[in-house]
Amino acid sequence: MTNTQVEEPAPHAILRNDYATQWMGINVVEVREGRAVITMELRPEMLNGFGIGHGGMIFALADTAFALSCNPAEGSDESITVASGADINFLRPAIPGRTLTATGQRVSQQGRSGIYDITVTQESSDGSTEVVAEFRGRSRTVPKPR
């Protein structure tokens, strides 16, 4: 009897070759049109000099939820949706060892342009959920590069 491991397909087409997301240990909880929920444990190499979550890591998590919210899970042969801009507001420190959750949601879609809000949360020491950051992304759908 041989033990063969069947590799499951990525839950979203853009994750197949996304090595940054793999390194960050991002897990997909939910993905559907216009919405994505992902998680990431805040590891020591993701901390800044103050011992809290590095803003770049929090931004990258939110940006990944943004990308998953903007693009169809099965991918497209014709087009991709990319960021045309994004803003983030950091509201409280991300605590080492906690799991961060990024929830992305489409706010508006007009033609090839869209607006998405992503909320990054963590569980507090008392078990409640607290908001770490609010991210707003602006998207643009463009022809797929050849």
Side-chain angles (χ1 to χ4, degrees), residues 10-141:
H12 200 291
I14 65 174
L15 295 178
R16 289 186 192 120
N17 297 309
D18 187 338
Y19 302 111
T21 296
Q22 292 171 22
W23 175 83
M24 292 171 65
I26 290 175
N27 295 303
V28 176
V29 175
E30 175 187 349
V31 65
R32 58 186 161 94
E33 185 176 338
R35 179 175 166 80
V37 180
I38 60 176
T39 62
M40 174 185 81
E41 183 181 339
L42 198 55
R43 303 187 315 255
E45 64 271 23
M46 299 173 165
L47 306 180
N48 64 21
F50 298 113
I52 57 176
H54 190 289
M57 295 290 102
I58 297 165
F59 186 97
L61 175 68
D63 187 50
T64 300
F66 174 41
L68 296 176
S69 298
C70 291
N71 289 279
E74 66 280 0
S76 169
D77 292 333
E78 302 301 318
S79 64
I80 58 174
T81 301
V82 296
S84 63
D87 299 296
I88 193 165
N89 291 295
F90 300 104
L91 303 172
R92 69 173 17 99
I95 306 301
R98 292 197 183 160
T99 298
L100 302 179
T101 300
T103 302
Q105 184 71 45
R106 181 186 301 134
V107 174
S108 177
Q109 180 77 42
Q110 300 296 319
R112 296 186 303 146
S113 298
I115 298 173
Y116 294 77
D117 284 342
I118 293 79
T119 300
V120 179
T121 61
Q122 67 186 354
E123 188 174 304
S124 70
S125 57
D126 68 6
S128 64
T129 299
E130 51 190 27
V131 176
V132 171
E134 292 284 355
F135 173 110
R136 173 156 276 193
R138 297 170 303 280
S139 70
R140 185 74 171 171
T141 300

